[in-house]
Amino acid sequence: MTPTLVDITGLAALSLNIAGLVRTSDRSLRHSTGWASALWAANNLLMGAQSAAALSALSVGRQVSASNAQGRSAGTKLWSCLAFLLVTLVLGALTWNGITTVFSMAGSMLATYAMFYMRGVALRLAMIGVASLWMYNAWAYDSWWQMLGNTLNGVAAAYGAWRAAKTQTTV
């Protein structure tokens, strides 16, 4: 595919991720990262990173489900979260590409747990871990967009955590 399309999808995904991570609203974070996941899936697919593309596509559904599960029963959250964790493992096995897949799966699983069960500062700190784990995929595929994206996402998540902590102490 054209490198321009890879660049456009990467820039758009990065913009949406950063916009969600710097906000203090968890709902806004889940919404914008869901759209970003769709673009990251396209970006990974264009680069030939099938495992990462499949896990990013799964993230879209996870974000919608996690948003809908907020305020629901503990059982609903648990079963939804477990279903996404299981599908993550299955997708990883079906698209196995060695150690790169392990890091992408771990990032996806951490994001799944965080989106269903974490809020505020903890959610944003978990997103730093997610960005760190996905950095291996970026490095393995020599994707400067994703390396830059993961670095900026980590910084944005740290800033968002700081803002969320500041909001919690002033309330």
Side-chain angles (χ1 to χ4, degrees):
M1 270 292 161
T2 173
T4 303
L5 193 52
V6 171
D7 292 345
I8 290 169
T9 57
L11 183 58
L14 175 60
S15 298
L16 286 169
N17 266 120
I18 289 173
L21 288 165
V22 299
R23 292 187 180 121
T24 57
S25 165
D26 294 342
R27 183 173 182 246
S28 179
L29 170 62
R30 287 182 184 91
H31 181 77
S32 66
T33 56
W35 284 106
S37 292
L39 291 167
W40 283 127
N43 185 262
N44 280 299
L45 193 60
L46 291 168
M47 292 186 323
Q50 288 83 11
S51 289
L55 292 170
S56 293
L58 177 64
S59 296
V60 176
R62 175 194 64 220
Q63 301 303 86
V64 171
S65 295
S67 289
N68 289 334
Q70 299 307 309
R72 305 265 174 139
S73 72
T76 299
K77 267 189 188 179
L78 175 65
W79 286 109
S80 297
C81 183
L82 287 174
F84 278 96
L85 291 172
L86 179 63
V87 173
T88 299
L89 291 172
V90 170
L91 281 176
L94 291 174
T95 60
W96 183 256
N97 192 26
I99 193 73
T100 306
T101 305
V102 172
F103 281 90
S104 298
M105 285 174 45
S108 185
M109 293 175 86
L110 175 57
T112 297
Y113 179 81
M115 288 297 165
F116 277 98
Y117 288 104
M118 294 179 172
R119 290 193 170 103
V121 175
L123 175 58
R124 283 147 188 84
L125 291 176
M127 293 300 102
I128 295 170
V130 171
S132 299
L133 288 164
W134 276 94
M135 184 63 87
Y136 189 87
N137 181 74
W139 174 77
Y141 284 93
D142 197 28
S143 172
W144 68 273
W145 262 124
Q146 287 190 12
M147 286 183 234
L148 176 63
N150 284 309
T151 301
L152 292 175
N153 283 335
V155 170
Y159 176 71
W162 173 78
R163 285 190 67 206
K166 188 175 161 184
T167 301
Q168 288 175 351
T169 58
T170 60
V171 173

